[in-house]
Amino acid sequence: MTQPLRLGIAGLGTVGIGLIKIIQRHAAMLEARTGRPIAITAVSARDANKDRGVSLSSYAWETDPVSLAKRDDVDVFVELMGGHEGPAKNATEAALASGKDVVTANKALLAIHGQTLAEMAEDAGSVIRFEAAVAGGIPIIKSLTEGLAGNEITRVMGVMNGTCNYILTRMEATGQGYNALFDECAELGYLEADPNLDVGGIDAGHKLALLASIAFGTKPAFDDVKLQGIQNIALKDIAQAADMGYRIKLLGVAQRTAGGLEQRMTPCLVPASSPLGQLEGGTNMVVVEGDAIEQVVLRGPGAGEGPTASAVIGDICDIARGLRIATFGQPAKNLETASAAQASLPTAYYVRLTLLDKPGAMAKIAAALGEAGVSIDRMRQYSHEDNAAPVLIVTHKCVTSLMDQALSNLSQTNVLQSDPVVLRIEDL
Ligand code: NAP
Ligand code: HSE
């Protein structure tokens, strides 16, 4: 009989239990598809007595994930604990040092330590697979490393944090503010243990750094991702963007520019009628552009037990079939160290200002922009609120340095009641 592929699973939370359910439910199907049984040998979590709603009695229990990772009867170490240091990192390193393959859903670990781990894996003849780490159930890693391998990728972008998209789309649908929807996400269990990972754009930034590495053949460089969260997006921004035909998304964009690799995860305006503009709730979307394919759009659930476990078992099936692809799609030692682009490609901007309602205020604003070389495309003034005049400007495309100069000029005008809100308008 063909030897089973033996798994050691560390982490029995949402994703770990989802994986065990799939393996228990579909054992025969998985064997038929991969040509060998997929067997769980041992598991690990913090609390051995917790009822997890599935039978674990036929698996050995390890209290220490590092011991699990080193077991002789484990071929693949499945890391589903999370965190970029501590047990996840230690156990992954131990597994690679013992010659095991690794499957993980941990974007933080790979965004920060991916290069070192990928080199360790290659030295040991092991593979690291991480489909579940980016956009949950969407097979984006597989698409980039396999189906689109013949393309020179020109741009990768997407909405990769379901919690942020849920908050932004619910703000528009319900008229509730950011704080109320943050609380709703907490009640629904959508938030990471550290919610700033979600709303601060960090979780999505980790994912973007991993995609950029595969797409552009560069070492993962999370520190180079320009990050801005959604905490300061006001209902006014949602409404005024809609008024101009846009929706606000926490959008990740990675592309090569003449000045280096641009990576940013920031709130942006996108046309309401575009696929990204129509994305609702916790769903994710990744758009890949390449020289042969032009554009591919992948949409699906970015989180949750079933979708994430689906991605993990997909990686396990590939290992069972003998597919061995380098972590970031090419040997780690060949990955280039990309210089980070200091400026983004030119873009149009949405600028929301709250002006003091006094003579000449509008003229000063127009002059501040004009003197910086920023040209106004559209401008609207909304009804006065007490002594404030809300003004919305959409600029023509300009480079970041001109907008920075315009903001500096604006701060000198003495007609602003509060800091401007400035968001990019993304070309799609
Ligand atoms: P979770 O529900 O919080 O589960 C974490 C599991 O890890 C728990 O079973 C916990 O044990 C165990 N654990 C934590 N520290 C441990 C330690 N020191 N030793 C042994 N076990 C330890 O997390 P999750 O949502 O399943 O996420 C797991 C990974 O998948 C993370 O990297 C996450 O970013 C990633 N991911 C999750 C989703 C999602 O939708 N949930 C989507 C994409 C990626 P106890 O149960 O005993 O406390
Ligand atoms: N916190 C993440 C999200 C979970 O909201 O998309 C999946 O990585």
Side-chain angles (χ1 to χ4, degrees), residues 10-16 44-48 50 52 63 65 79-83 87 104-107 132-133 136 192 203 207 302-305 308:
L12 301 174
T14 306
V15 186
S44 175
R46 282 176 297 213
D47 182 352
K50 200 188 270 184
R52 299 175 192 272
T63 45
E79 189 282 300
L80 301 173
M81 295 177 286
T104 180
N106 191 334
K107 52 263 175 173
E192 299 275 340
D203 166 83
K207 295 168 182 168
E305 179 183 298
T308 314

PDB file of all heavy atoms in Angstrom, residues 10-16 44-48 50 52 63 65 79-83 87 104-107 132-133 136 192 203 207 302-305 308, ligand 1:
ATOM      1  N   ALA A  10      -0.265  21.743  14.651  1.00  0.00           N
ATOM      2  CA  ALA A  10      -0.139  22.590  15.846  1.00  0.00           C
ATOM      3  C   ALA A  10      -1.101  23.760  15.703  1.00  0.00           C
ATOM      4  O   ALA A  10      -0.961  24.571  14.786  1.00  0.00           O
ATOM      5  CB  ALA A  10       1.298  23.087  15.972  1.00  0.00           C
ATOM      6  N   GLY A  11      -2.069  23.819  16.621  1.00  0.00           N
ATOM      7  CA  GLY A  11      -3.099  24.857  16.546  1.00  0.00           C
ATOM      8  C   GLY A  11      -4.423  24.210  16.203  1.00  0.00           C
ATOM      9  O   GLY A  11      -4.596  23.693  15.091  1.00  0.00           O
ATOM     10  N   LEU A  12      -5.329  24.199  17.183  1.00  0.00           N
ATOM     11  CA  LEU A  12      -6.635  23.560  16.988  1.00  0.00           C
ATOM     12  C   LEU A  12      -7.746  24.580  17.212  1.00  0.00           C
ATOM     13  O   LEU A  12      -8.710  24.337  17.928  1.00  0.00           O
ATOM     14  CB  LEU A  12      -6.788  22.363  17.948  1.00  0.00           C
ATOM     15  CG  LEU A  12      -5.723  21.273  17.792  1.00  0.00           C
ATOM     16  CD1 LEU A  12      -5.870  20.213  18.883  1.00  0.00           C
ATOM     17  CD2 LEU A  12      -5.807  20.617  16.408  1.00  0.00           C
ATOM     18  N   GLY A  13      -7.561  25.742  16.612  1.00  0.00           N
ATOM     19  CA  GLY A  13      -8.582  26.794  16.691  1.00  0.00           C
ATOM     20  C   GLY A  13      -9.449  26.741  15.449  1.00  0.00           C
ATOM     21  O   GLY A  13      -9.719  25.668  14.888  1.00  0.00           O
ATOM     22  N   THR A  14      -9.858  27.896  14.984  1.00  0.00           N
ATOM     23  CA  THR A  14     -10.767  27.964  13.830  1.00  0.00           C
ATOM     24  C   THR A  14     -10.219  27.170  12.645  1.00  0.00           C
ATOM     25  O   THR A  14     -10.916  26.319  12.073  1.00  0.00           O
ATOM     26  CB  THR A  14     -10.935  29.446  13.412  1.00  0.00           C
ATOM     27  OG1 THR A  14     -11.357  30.180  14.557  1.00  0.00           O
ATOM     28  CG2 THR A  14     -11.946  29.608  12.300  1.00  0.00           C
ATOM     29  N   VAL A  15      -8.979  27.427  12.275  1.00  0.00           N
ATOM     30  CA  VAL A  15      -8.439  26.812  11.055  1.00  0.00           C
ATOM     31  C   VAL A  15      -8.053  25.349  11.303  1.00  0.00           C
ATOM     32  O   VAL A  15      -8.359  24.468  10.484  1.00  0.00           O
ATOM     33  CB  VAL A  15      -7.220  27.616  10.532  1.00  0.00           C
ATOM     34  CG1 VAL A  15      -6.772  27.065   9.185  1.00  0.00           C
ATOM     35  CG2 VAL A  15      -7.561  29.103  10.399  1.00  0.00           C
ATOM     36  N   GLY A  16      -7.404  25.087  12.446  1.00  0.00           N
ATOM     37  CA  GLY A  16      -6.961  23.718  12.737  1.00  0.00           C
ATOM     38  C   GLY A  16      -8.132  22.755  12.788  1.00  0.00           C
ATOM     39  O   GLY A  16      -8.084  21.652  12.206  1.00  0.00           O
ATOM     40  N   SER A  44      -1.413  19.458  18.561  1.00  0.00           N
ATOM     41  CA  SER A  44      -0.970  20.239  19.717  1.00  0.00           C
ATOM     42  C   SER A  44      -1.801  21.510  19.824  1.00  0.00           C
ATOM     43  O   SER A  44      -2.182  22.103  18.807  1.00  0.00           O
ATOM     44  CB  SER A  44       0.509  20.606  19.540  1.00  0.00           C
ATOM     45  OG  SER A  44       0.932  21.456  20.580  1.00  0.00           O
ATOM     46  N   ALA A  45      -2.108  21.901  21.042  1.00  0.00           N
ATOM     47  CA  ALA A  45      -2.727  23.201  21.327  1.00  0.00           C
ATOM     48  C   ALA A  45      -2.391  23.486  22.785  1.00  0.00           C
ATOM     49  O   ALA A  45      -1.702  22.703  23.430  1.00  0.00           O
ATOM     50  CB  ALA A  45      -4.225  23.169  21.085  1.00  0.00           C
ATOM     51  N   ARG A  46      -2.888  24.618  23.311  1.00  0.00           N
ATOM     52  CA  ARG A  46      -2.538  24.934  24.700  1.00  0.00           C
ATOM     53  C   ARG A  46      -3.342  24.094  25.677  1.00  0.00           C
ATOM     54  O   ARG A  46      -2.818  23.566  26.643  1.00  0.00           O
ATOM     55  CB  ARG A  46      -2.773  26.420  24.968  1.00  0.00           C
ATOM     56  CG  ARG A  46      -1.687  27.301  24.422  1.00  0.00           C
ATOM     57  CD  ARG A  46      -2.008  28.747  24.616  1.00  0.00           C
ATOM     58  NE  ARG A  46      -3.202  29.141  23.891  1.00  0.00           N
ATOM     59  CZ  ARG A  46      -3.398  30.337  23.361  1.00  0.00           C
ATOM     60  NH1 ARG A  46      -2.490  31.268  23.503  1.00  0.00           N
ATOM     61  NH2 ARG A  46      -4.498  30.614  22.715  1.00  0.00           N
ATOM     62  N   ASP A  47      -4.640  23.955  25.408  1.00  0.00           N
ATOM     63  CA  ASP A  47      -5.531  23.336  26.388  1.00  0.00           C
ATOM     64  C   ASP A  47      -5.932  21.937  25.911  1.00  0.00           C
ATOM     65  O   ASP A  47      -6.707  21.784  24.958  1.00  0.00           O
ATOM     66  CB  ASP A  47      -6.767  24.242  26.546  1.00  0.00           C
ATOM     67  CG  ASP A  47      -7.740  23.718  27.574  1.00  0.00           C
ATOM     68  OD1 ASP A  47      -7.549  22.576  28.056  1.00  0.00           O
ATOM     69  OD2 ASP A  47      -8.707  24.432  27.882  1.00  0.00           O
ATOM     70  N   ALA A  48      -5.405  20.920  26.585  1.00  0.00           N
ATOM     71  CA  ALA A  48      -5.673  19.540  26.170  1.00  0.00           C
ATOM     72  C   ALA A  48      -7.086  19.096  26.526  1.00  0.00           C
ATOM     73  O   ALA A  48      -7.567  18.079  26.022  1.00  0.00           O
ATOM     74  CB  ALA A  48      -4.654  18.605  26.823  1.00  0.00           C
ATOM     75  N   LYS A  50      -9.957  21.017  26.317  1.00  0.00           N
ATOM     76  CA  LYS A  50     -11.039  21.767  25.677  1.00  0.00           C
ATOM     77  C   LYS A  50     -11.837  20.860  24.736  1.00  0.00           C
ATOM     78  O   LYS A  50     -11.250  20.058  23.995  1.00  0.00           O
ATOM     79  CB  LYS A  50     -10.426  22.920  24.872  1.00  0.00           C
ATOM     80  CG  LYS A  50     -11.383  24.035  24.544  1.00  0.00           C
ATOM     81  CD  LYS A  50     -10.753  25.041  23.569  1.00  0.00           C
ATOM     82  CE  LYS A  50     -10.024  26.160  24.243  1.00  0.00           C
ATOM     83  NZ  LYS A  50      -9.520  27.169  23.269  1.00  0.00           N
ATOM     84  N   ARG A  52     -13.440  20.456  21.471  1.00  0.00           N
ATOM     85  CA  ARG A  52     -13.283  21.187  20.210  1.00  0.00           C
ATOM     86  C   ARG A  52     -14.280  20.733  19.159  1.00  0.00           C
ATOM     87  O   ARG A  52     -14.172  21.102  17.987  1.00  0.00           O
ATOM     88  CB  ARG A  52     -11.844  21.049  19.712  1.00  0.00           C
ATOM     89  CG  ARG A  52     -10.844  21.643  20.718  1.00  0.00           C
ATOM     90  CD  ARG A  52      -9.393  21.423  20.333  1.00  0.00           C
ATOM     91  NE  ARG A  52      -8.502  21.761  21.444  1.00  0.00           N
ATOM     92  CZ  ARG A  52      -8.008  22.972  21.676  1.00  0.00           C
ATOM     93  NH1 ARG A  52      -8.307  23.963  20.871  1.00  0.00           N
ATOM     94  NH2 ARG A  52      -7.224  23.205  22.719  1.00  0.00           N
ATOM     95  N   THR A  63       2.160  18.533  24.085  1.00  0.00           N
ATOM     96  CA  THR A  63       1.949  19.843  24.722  1.00  0.00           C
ATOM     97  C   THR A  63       2.858  20.902  24.102  1.00  0.00           C
ATOM     98  O   THR A  63       2.509  22.079  24.068  1.00  0.00           O
ATOM     99  CB  THR A  63       2.222  19.784  26.241  1.00  0.00           C
ATOM    100  OG1 THR A  63       3.430  19.066  26.435  1.00  0.00           O
ATOM    101  CG2 THR A  63       1.103  19.114  26.981  1.00  0.00           C
ATOM    102  N   PRO A  65       4.605  22.398  20.765  1.00  0.00           N
ATOM    103  CA  PRO A  65       4.595  22.317  19.298  1.00  0.00           C
ATOM    104  C   PRO A  65       5.965  22.008  18.701  1.00  0.00           C
ATOM    105  O   PRO A  65       6.049  21.406  17.625  1.00  0.00           O
ATOM    106  CB  PRO A  65       4.133  23.712  18.858  1.00  0.00           C
ATOM    107  CG  PRO A  65       3.755  24.469  20.065  1.00  0.00           C
ATOM    108  CD  PRO A  65       4.120  23.689  21.283  1.00  0.00           C
ATOM    109  N   GLU A  79       1.375  24.350  10.706  1.00  0.00           N
ATOM    110  CA  GLU A  79       1.423  25.405  11.736  1.00  0.00           C
ATOM    111  C   GLU A  79       0.180  26.270  11.627  1.00  0.00           C
ATOM    112  O   GLU A  79       0.052  27.042  10.682  1.00  0.00           O
ATOM    113  CB  GLU A  79       2.710  26.231  11.563  1.00  0.00           C
ATOM    114  CG  GLU A  79       2.972  27.211  12.688  1.00  0.00           C
ATOM    115  CD  GLU A  79       2.110  28.466  12.580  1.00  0.00           C
ATOM    116  OE1 GLU A  79       2.205  29.189  11.582  1.00  0.00           O
ATOM    117  OE2 GLU A  79       1.321  28.712  13.520  1.00  0.00           O
ATOM    118  N   LEU A  80      -0.712  26.158  12.617  1.00  0.00           N
ATOM    119  CA  LEU A  80      -1.963  26.925  12.603  1.00  0.00           C
ATOM    120  C   LEU A  80      -2.185  27.595  13.958  1.00  0.00           C
ATOM    121  O   LEU A  80      -3.311  27.652  14.466  1.00  0.00           O
ATOM    122  CB  LEU A  80      -3.136  26.005  12.245  1.00  0.00           C
ATOM    123  CG  LEU A  80      -2.998  25.308  10.879  1.00  0.00           C
ATOM    124  CD1 LEU A  80      -4.103  24.293  10.662  1.00  0.00           C
ATOM    125  CD2 LEU A  80      -2.987  26.324   9.737  1.00  0.00           C
ATOM    126  N   MET A  81      -1.081  28.084  14.540  1.00  0.00           N
ATOM    127  CA  MET A  81      -1.187  28.764  15.840  1.00  0.00           C
ATOM    128  C   MET A  81      -1.236  30.275  15.659  1.00  0.00           C
ATOM    129  O   MET A  81      -1.964  30.980  16.340  1.00  0.00           O
ATOM    130  CB  MET A  81       0.025  28.408  16.716  1.00  0.00           C
ATOM    131  CG  MET A  81       0.076  26.935  17.086  1.00  0.00           C
ATOM    132  SD  MET A  81       1.556  26.507  18.041  1.00  0.00           S
ATOM    133  CE  MET A  81       2.826  26.553  16.796  1.00  0.00           C
ATOM    134  N   GLY A  82      -0.415  30.808  14.765  1.00  0.00           N
ATOM    135  CA  GLY A  82      -0.354  32.257  14.545  1.00  0.00           C
ATOM    136  C   GLY A  82       0.757  32.902  15.354  1.00  0.00           C
ATOM    137  O   GLY A  82       1.353  32.291  16.241  1.00  0.00           O
ATOM    138  N   GLY A  83       1.049  34.160  15.004  1.00  0.00           N
ATOM    139  CA  GLY A  83       2.108  34.916  15.691  1.00  0.00           C
ATOM    140  C   GLY A  83       3.416  34.777  14.928  1.00  0.00           C
ATOM    141  O   GLY A  83       3.737  33.705  14.416  1.00  0.00           O
ATOM    142  N   PRO A  87       6.137  30.241  19.673  1.00  0.00           N
ATOM    143  CA  PRO A  87       5.970  28.844  19.264  1.00  0.00           C
ATOM    144  C   PRO A  87       5.857  28.650  17.753  1.00  0.00           C
ATOM    145  O   PRO A  87       6.402  27.678  17.217  1.00  0.00           O
ATOM    146  CB  PRO A  87       4.661  28.418  19.945  1.00  0.00           C
ATOM    147  CG  PRO A  87       4.218  29.535  20.793  1.00  0.00           C
ATOM    148  CD  PRO A  87       5.135  30.696  20.634  1.00  0.00           C
ATOM    149  N   THR A 104       1.476  26.339   6.392  1.00  0.00           N
ATOM    150  CA  THR A 104       1.063  27.317   7.396  1.00  0.00           C
ATOM    151  C   THR A 104       0.043  28.280   6.820  1.00  0.00           C
ATOM    152  O   THR A 104      -0.022  28.477   5.601  1.00  0.00           O
ATOM    153  CB  THR A 104       2.293  28.092   7.940  1.00  0.00           C
ATOM    154  OG1 THR A 104       1.862  29.038   8.916  1.00  0.00           O
ATOM    155  CG2 THR A 104       3.051  28.832   6.851  1.00  0.00           C
ATOM    156  N   ALA A 105      -0.742  28.883   7.729  1.00  0.00           N
ATOM    157  CA  ALA A 105      -1.692  29.935   7.336  1.00  0.00           C
ATOM    158  C   ALA A 105      -1.214  31.278   7.858  1.00  0.00           C
ATOM    159  O   ALA A 105      -1.967  32.249   7.853  1.00  0.00           O
ATOM    160  CB  ALA A 105      -3.072  29.606   7.924  1.00  0.00           C
ATOM    161  N   ASN A 106       0.044  31.321   8.289  1.00  0.00           N
ATOM    162  CA  ASN A 106       0.531  32.429   9.114  1.00  0.00           C
ATOM    163  C   ASN A 106       1.228  33.513   8.277  1.00  0.00           C
ATOM    164  O   ASN A 106       2.428  33.429   7.996  1.00  0.00           O
ATOM    165  CB  ASN A 106       1.499  31.822  10.144  1.00  0.00           C
ATOM    166  CG  ASN A 106       1.887  32.787  11.224  1.00  0.00           C
ATOM    167  OD1 ASN A 106       1.856  33.990  11.027  1.00  0.00           O
ATOM    168  ND2 ASN A 106       2.259  32.241  12.367  1.00  0.00           N
ATOM    169  N   LYS A 107       0.450  34.551   7.912  1.00  0.00           N
ATOM    170  CA  LYS A 107       1.019  35.609   7.049  1.00  0.00           C
ATOM    171  C   LYS A 107       2.052  36.439   7.785  1.00  0.00           C
ATOM    172  O   LYS A 107       3.049  36.884   7.201  1.00  0.00           O
ATOM    173  CB  LYS A 107      -0.086  36.511   6.491  1.00  0.00           C
ATOM    174  CG  LYS A 107      -1.042  37.092   7.524  1.00  0.00           C
ATOM    175  CD  LYS A 107      -2.322  36.292   7.641  1.00  0.00           C
ATOM    176  CE  LYS A 107      -3.228  36.785   8.731  1.00  0.00           C
ATOM    177  NZ  LYS A 107      -4.529  36.156   8.762  1.00  0.00           N
ATOM    178  N   ALA A 132      -3.174  29.493   2.531  1.00  0.00           N
ATOM    179  CA  ALA A 132      -4.198  30.052   3.428  1.00  0.00           C
ATOM    180  C   ALA A 132      -3.793  31.400   4.023  1.00  0.00           C
ATOM    181  O   ALA A 132      -4.631  32.101   4.585  1.00  0.00           O
ATOM    182  CB  ALA A 132      -4.484  29.065   4.562  1.00  0.00           C
ATOM    183  N   ALA A 133      -2.515  31.744   3.888  1.00  0.00           N
ATOM    184  CA  ALA A 133      -2.050  32.979   4.536  1.00  0.00           C
ATOM    185  C   ALA A 133      -2.534  34.226   3.809  1.00  0.00           C
ATOM    186  O   ALA A 133      -2.575  35.310   4.387  1.00  0.00           O
ATOM    187  CB  ALA A 133      -0.524  32.977   4.615  1.00  0.00           C
ATOM    188  N   GLY A 136      -7.430  33.950   2.346  1.00  0.00           N
ATOM    189  CA  GLY A 136      -8.182  32.769   2.800  1.00  0.00           C
ATOM    190  C   GLY A 136      -8.404  31.711   1.741  1.00  0.00           C
ATOM    191  O   GLY A 136      -7.473  31.042   1.305  1.00  0.00           O
ATOM    192  N   GLU A 192      -8.905  40.280  14.769  1.00  0.00           N
ATOM    193  CA  GLU A 192      -7.727  39.566  15.259  1.00  0.00           C
ATOM    194  C   GLU A 192      -7.581  39.864  16.756  1.00  0.00           C
ATOM    195  O   GLU A 192      -8.118  40.868  17.252  1.00  0.00           O
ATOM    196  CB  GLU A 192      -6.469  40.071  14.540  1.00  0.00           C
ATOM    197  CG  GLU A 192      -6.468  39.871  13.033  1.00  0.00           C
ATOM    198  CD  GLU A 192      -5.986  38.495  12.603  1.00  0.00           C
ATOM    199  OE1 GLU A 192      -5.308  37.809  13.378  1.00  0.00           O
ATOM    200  OE2 GLU A 192      -6.317  38.097  11.466  1.00  0.00           O
ATOM    201  N   ASP A 203      -2.301  43.426   8.859  1.00  0.00           N
ATOM    202  CA  ASP A 203      -2.596  42.069   8.378  1.00  0.00           C
ATOM    203  C   ASP A 203      -2.624  42.041   6.840  1.00  0.00           C
ATOM    204  O   ASP A 203      -2.002  41.184   6.205  1.00  0.00           O
ATOM    205  CB  ASP A 203      -3.961  41.645   8.960  1.00  0.00           C
ATOM    206  CG  ASP A 203      -4.535  40.428   8.292  1.00  0.00           C
ATOM    207  OD1 ASP A 203      -4.142  39.313   8.675  1.00  0.00           O
ATOM    208  OD2 ASP A 203      -5.382  40.581   7.379  1.00  0.00           O
ATOM    209  N   LYS A 207       0.019  40.333   3.846  1.00  0.00           N
ATOM    210  CA  LYS A 207      -0.416  39.535   2.682  1.00  0.00           C
ATOM    211  C   LYS A 207       0.144  40.136   1.392  1.00  0.00           C
ATOM    212  O   LYS A 207       0.615  39.417   0.512  1.00  0.00           O
ATOM    213  CB  LYS A 207      -1.948  39.487   2.651  1.00  0.00           C
ATOM    214  CG  LYS A 207      -2.542  38.756   3.851  1.00  0.00           C
ATOM    215  CD  LYS A 207      -4.045  38.975   3.965  1.00  0.00           C
ATOM    216  CE  LYS A 207      -4.619  38.286   5.184  1.00  0.00           C
ATOM    217  NZ  LYS A 207      -5.984  38.670   5.516  1.00  0.00           N
ATOM    218  N   GLY A 302     -12.309  35.424   2.384  1.00  0.00           N
ATOM    219  CA  GLY A 302     -10.931  35.652   2.813  1.00  0.00           C
ATOM    220  C   GLY A 302     -10.623  35.096   4.182  1.00  0.00           C
ATOM    221  O   GLY A 302      -9.482  35.175   4.642  1.00  0.00           O
ATOM    222  N   ALA A 303     -11.605  34.535   4.847  1.00  0.00           N
ATOM    223  CA  ALA A 303     -11.369  34.049   6.205  1.00  0.00           C
ATOM    224  C   ALA A 303     -12.465  33.052   6.570  1.00  0.00           C
ATOM    225  O   ALA A 303     -13.373  32.793   5.786  1.00  0.00           O
ATOM    226  CB  ALA A 303     -11.371  35.223   7.185  1.00  0.00           C
ATOM    227  N   GLY A 304     -12.343  32.500   7.790  1.00  0.00           N
ATOM    228  CA  GLY A 304     -13.359  31.579   8.297  1.00  0.00           C
ATOM    229  C   GLY A 304     -12.875  30.142   8.227  1.00  0.00           C
ATOM    230  O   GLY A 304     -11.936  29.810   7.498  1.00  0.00           O
ATOM    231  N   GLU A 305     -13.570  29.297   8.997  1.00  0.00           N
ATOM    232  CA  GLU A 305     -13.117  27.910   9.156  1.00  0.00           C
ATOM    233  C   GLU A 305     -12.996  27.155   7.823  1.00  0.00           C
ATOM    234  O   GLU A 305     -11.928  26.628   7.489  1.00  0.00           O
ATOM    235  CB  GLU A 305     -14.107  27.187  10.094  1.00  0.00           C
ATOM    236  CG  GLU A 305     -13.756  25.741  10.329  1.00  0.00           C
ATOM    237  CD  GLU A 305     -14.788  25.025  11.210  1.00  0.00           C
ATOM    238  OE1 GLU A 305     -14.965  25.436  12.370  1.00  0.00           O
ATOM    239  OE2 GLU A 305     -15.414  24.061  10.714  1.00  0.00           O
ATOM    240  N   THR A 308     -10.548  28.836   4.915  1.00  0.00           N
ATOM    241  CA  THR A 308      -9.117  28.824   5.237  1.00  0.00           C
ATOM    242  C   THR A 308      -8.599  27.384   5.272  1.00  0.00           C
ATOM    243  O   THR A 308      -7.516  27.084   4.755  1.00  0.00           O
ATOM    244  CB  THR A 308      -8.859  29.555   6.572  1.00  0.00           C
ATOM    245  OG1 THR A 308      -9.599  30.775   6.561  1.00  0.00           O
ATOM    246  CG2 THR A 308      -7.403  29.876   6.759  1.00  0.00           C
TER     247      THR A 308
HETATM  248  P1  NAP B   1      -7.226  30.554  16.792  1.00  0.00           P
HETATM  249  O1  NAP B   1      -8.633  30.159  16.551  1.00  0.00           O
HETATM  250  O2  NAP B   1      -6.910  31.607  17.763  1.00  0.00           O
HETATM  251  O3  NAP B   1      -6.434  29.214  17.181  1.00  0.00           O
HETATM  252  C1  NAP B   1      -5.092  29.227  17.552  1.00  0.00           C
HETATM  253  C2  NAP B   1      -4.736  27.847  18.033  1.00  0.00           C
HETATM  254  O4  NAP B   1      -3.349  27.829  18.358  1.00  0.00           O
HETATM  255  C3  NAP B   1      -5.497  27.443  19.298  1.00  0.00           C
HETATM  256  O5  NAP B   1      -5.916  26.097  19.205  1.00  0.00           O
HETATM  257  C4  NAP B   1      -4.443  27.577  20.415  1.00  0.00           C
HETATM  258  O6  NAP B   1      -4.609  26.650  21.468  1.00  0.00           O
HETATM  259  C5  NAP B   1      -3.183  27.242  19.642  1.00  0.00           C
HETATM  260  N1  NAP B   1      -2.010  27.814  20.264  1.00  0.00           N
HETATM  261  C6  NAP B   1      -1.750  29.113  20.492  1.00  0.00           C
HETATM  262  N2  NAP B   1      -0.562  29.242  21.128  1.00  0.00           N
HETATM  263  C7  NAP B   1      -0.087  27.972  21.290  1.00  0.00           C
HETATM  264  C8  NAP B   1       1.049  27.421  21.880  1.00  0.00           C
HETATM  265  N3  NAP B   1       1.950  28.207  22.479  1.00  0.00           N
HETATM  266  N4  NAP B   1       1.209  26.087  21.860  1.00  0.00           N
HETATM  267  C9  NAP B   1       0.309  25.295  21.279  1.00  0.00           C
HETATM  268  N5  NAP B   1      -0.808  25.764  20.701  1.00  0.00           N
HETATM  269  C10 NAP B   1      -1.000  27.079  20.714  1.00  0.00           C
HETATM  270  O7  NAP B   1      -6.513  30.987  15.415  1.00  0.00           O
HETATM  271  P2  NAP B   1      -7.006  30.714  13.933  1.00  0.00           P
HETATM  272  O8  NAP B   1      -8.038  31.724  13.583  1.00  0.00           O
HETATM  273  O9  NAP B   1      -7.308  29.283  13.750  1.00  0.00           O
HETATM  274  O10 NAP B   1      -5.694  31.147  13.107  1.00  0.00           O
HETATM  275  C11 NAP B   1      -4.589  30.285  12.978  1.00  0.00           C
HETATM  276  C12 NAP B   1      -3.654  30.859  11.922  1.00  0.00           C
HETATM  277  O11 NAP B   1      -4.342  30.969  10.692  1.00  0.00           O
HETATM  278  C13 NAP B   1      -3.119  32.268  12.230  1.00  0.00           C
HETATM  279  O12 NAP B   1      -1.820  32.399  11.720  1.00  0.00           O
HETATM  280  C14 NAP B   1      -4.067  33.157  11.436  1.00  0.00           C
HETATM  281  O13 NAP B   1      -3.502  34.418  11.106  1.00  0.00           O
HETATM  282  C15 NAP B   1      -4.275  32.313  10.211  1.00  0.00           C
HETATM  283  N6  NAP B   1      -5.496  32.600   9.469  1.00  0.00           N
HETATM  284  C16 NAP B   1      -6.686  32.566  10.101  1.00  0.00           C
HETATM  285  C17 NAP B   1      -7.844  32.827   9.380  1.00  0.00           C
HETATM  286  C18 NAP B   1      -9.202  32.753  10.019  1.00  0.00           C
HETATM  287  O14 NAP B   1     -10.190  33.000   9.330  1.00  0.00           O
HETATM  288  N7  NAP B   1      -9.312  32.418  11.299  1.00  0.00           N
HETATM  289  C19 NAP B   1      -7.749  33.145   8.011  1.00  0.00           C
HETATM  290  C20 NAP B   1      -6.496  33.163   7.404  1.00  0.00           C
HETATM  291  C21 NAP B   1      -5.374  32.882   8.137  1.00  0.00           C
HETATM  292  P3  NAP B   1      -5.915  26.637  22.440  1.00  0.00           P
HETATM  293  O15 NAP B   1      -7.081  26.366  21.549  1.00  0.00           O
HETATM  294  O16 NAP B   1      -5.677  25.549  23.390  1.00  0.00           O
HETATM  295  O17 NAP B   1      -5.958  28.005  23.061  1.00  0.00           O
END
